[in-house]
Amino acid sequence: MRLTLTQLRYVVAVARYGSVTAAAQALNVSQPSISVAIDNVEADLGQKLFVRQRGSGVSLTSFGRRAVAKARQVLGEADELAALGSRNADVGGELVRGCFEDLAPYFAPALMRAFAERCPAVTVVIGDETFDTLGRRLADSAVDLGLTYDLGLPGHFKRILLHELRPHALLPAGHELADKHAVSLAELAQHPLITTDQPHSWQHMLDLFLSRGLSPVARATTSSFELQRSMVANGFGVAVSYTRPHGDRSYDGLPLVCKPLSDPLPMQRIILTHDTRQRLSKAALAFIEVAKAWFAGHDVFTG
């Protein structure tokens, strides 16, 4: 058996992008080159890495998950070896970060900039993820680290605390509750509730009300946090949120009112997470330290 680094990079790319076509486009190589490489690797290892699904890309087999994890480890060590010759950094290689889609615009670019200053030899790849896709891609070794809320993660995932947030009420300007210093969940439950359709987020918000013996009526569900904010700003209902962008206005320019909740509710955690079954690279360990320092030095969602 003589596997090459190029073959391993092709295998890892297919796992990351979920299809041979997408991997070929990302690497700027031909599809047949990647397909042949995968066939050769599977022949050498004696087992299938991927299950081909017509019209929906590929998925990893259980053996494929282990093989991709090892391939990423080998590639990381090879890149770290190459980086030894750099005068600018002692950490090299590639770092793939998945960011929960609601948090990505607020933190992913700033963290990428801070990390580039610390480890310029590392190539960073960032992807927006839902709660479900992030967990799956971490388990498949397609993503090294995830930036997310502490929701919907398996028990064997490591959780590295970056920041804790209190929930707040989101109201349209002129709402009857807008002049109050703080708002209770009981008061919010008297008005139509706007939620997002992200399963773990929706269930978490509902559980906050249920923990107080309340049953709010959902007026609408939205596909994104910004659409939720716009629906509230346009008077269709109220919402509960942890995320608070700078400037309390919706995308269409209407004002929003954010009020603290008076109920004694648990804090929500912004975390970095990874699958403990996979070994972290030096680049991933360095990024964790950069992220901790960045969050410790910045105000987060303070309005």
Side-chain angles (χ1 to χ4, degrees), residues 97-168:
R97 284 195 297 130
C99 300
F100 174 54
E101 54 193 351
D102 284 358
L103 294 177
Y106 306 107
F107 304 120
L111 290 173
M112 185 175 183
R113 184 177 67 247
F115 184 65
E117 294 171 356
R118 166 84 174 272
C119 301
V122 177
T123 300
V124 179
V125 179
I126 300 177
D128 288 353
E129 305 286 349
T130 66
F131 287 122
D132 288 338
T133 62
L134 180 58
R136 183 171 65 250
R137 287 168 59 75
L138 284 163
D140 284 350
S141 297
V143 169
D144 297 305
L145 288 171
L147 178 71
T148 183
Y149 288 123
D150 189 3
L151 292 173
L153 296 172
H156 63 272
F157 275 33
K158 175 76 172 180
R159 292 156 171 81
I160 301 161
L161 178 63
L162 298 177
H163 192 75
E164 289 186 310
L165 297 169
R166 296 186 183 280
H168 60 265

Side-chain angles (χ1 to χ4, degrees), residues 11-43:
V11 167
V12 169
V14 172
R16 179 189 309 154
Y17 294 104
S19 76
V20 172
T21 300
Q25 292 173 343
L27 297 176
N28 196 28
V29 298
S30 68
Q31 282 185 244
S33 296
I34 293 183
S35 295
V36 169
I38 291 174
D39 290 341
N40 289 339
V41 171
E42 290 179 331

Side-chain angles (χ1 to χ4, degrees), residues 262-281:
S262 58
D263 305 81
L265 298 171
M267 304 277 276
Q268 182 54 274
R269 299 162 17 120
I270 298 176
I271 61 170
L272 282 175
T273 186
H274 66 89
D275 191 330
T276 56
R277 297 172 300 183
Q278 320 297 348
R279 194 181 81 171
L280 289 181
S281 65

Side-chain angles (χ1 to χ4, degrees), residues 34-58:
I34 293 183
S35 295
V36 169
I38 291 174
D39 290 341
N40 289 339
V41 171
E42 290 179 331
D44 283 342
L45 295 179
Q47 295 193 55
K48 288 292 186 181
L49 302 179
F50 300 99
V51 176
R52 279 74 168 178
Q53 299 171 324
R54 183 179 298 275
S56 58
V58 301

Side-chain angles (χ1 to χ4, degrees), residues 3-13 41 67 70-71 74-75:
L3 302 179
T4 68
L5 292 180
T6 296
Q7 288 175 324
L8 296 183
R9 291 190 192 281
Y10 288 174
V11 167
V12 169
V41 171
K70 180 60 69 173
V74 170
L75 292 172

